[in-house]
Amino acid sequence: MTDTPRTYTVTQLAEILQLKPATIRAKARDGTWPYLQFGPRTVRFTEHHLATILTTSEASPPQQRQTRRTRRPK
């Protein structure tokens, strides 16, 4: 028996990522996120796609601002 990869629909992926389905479709359509397409309206995402989406969407922590404090004249 072969292990078939788990696939997610647009709605399922939207629930996992807590995004709107329209956002998922837009990211796939503009090529930002990888996906499988089985027809003009049938889109699926694998676990590998999900891992790639999470990795490429990861933002680095903001750098601490170097502020230069000056004292007010008395």
Side-chain angles (χ1 to χ4, degrees), residues 66-74:
Q66 297 292 328
T67 58
R68 193 165 140 189
R69 296 187 148 196
T70 57
R71 293 183 178 223
R72 284 192 216 169
K74 291 185 179 184

Side-chain angles (χ1 to χ4, degrees), residues 4 12 19 30 43 45 53 55:
T4 56
Q12 290 170 329
L19 297 171
D30 70 12
V43 173
F45 299 86
I53 289 166
T55 302

Side-chain angles (χ1 to χ4, degrees), residues 22-38:
T23 303
I24 304 296
R25 286 187 195 95
K27 295 281 191 179
R29 186 175 35 250
D30 70 12
T32 304
W33 290 352
Y35 64 97
L36 299 172
Q37 187 165 9
F38 296 104

Side-chain angles (χ1 to χ4, degrees), residues 41-58:
R41 297 178 62 187
T42 307
V43 173
R44 297 290 183 269
F45 299 86
T46 65
E47 289 180 341
H48 179 69
H49 291 146
L50 176 56
T52 302
I53 289 166
L54 292 173
T55 302
T56 58
S57 299
E58 185 175 325

